């Protein structure tokens, strides 16, 4: 049975706290880092 977008949205709002999530971004740091910082994201550089 498919889940409707509305039901999925309600579930997300109830169970997911965006303040406790981590985001992994892969790409050109010279381009992405200033863009993410402009959105007030804390950026931590991680190099392999």
């Amino acid at each position: 049975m498919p889940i409707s977008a509305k039901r999925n949205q309600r579930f997300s709002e109830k169970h997911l706290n965006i303040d406790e999530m981590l985001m992994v971004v892969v790409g050109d740091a010279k381009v992405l880092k200033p863009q993410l910082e402009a959105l007030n994201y804390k950026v931590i550089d991680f190099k392999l």
Side-chain angles (χ1 to χ4, degrees):
M1 177 168 119
I3 298 173
S4 70
K6 188 174 184 176
R7 184 173 177 194
N8 189 34
Q9 180 69 29
R10 285 194 313 261
F11 177 87
S12 299
E13 290 170 352
K14 182 177 179 181
H15 296 286
L16 301 177
N17 182 350
I18 197 160
D19 294 327
E20 295 178 356
M21 293 183 181
L22 298 175
M23 180 182 353
V24 177
V25 178
V26 178
D28 186 346
K30 291 178 187 175
V31 174
L32 296 173
K33 187 174 182 178
Q35 294 173 352
L36 293 168
E37 289 173 336
L39 295 171
N40 294 320
Y41 286 112
K42 179 181 177 185
V43 177
I44 301 169
D45 292 327
F46 183 81
K47 297 177 184 175
L48 297 175

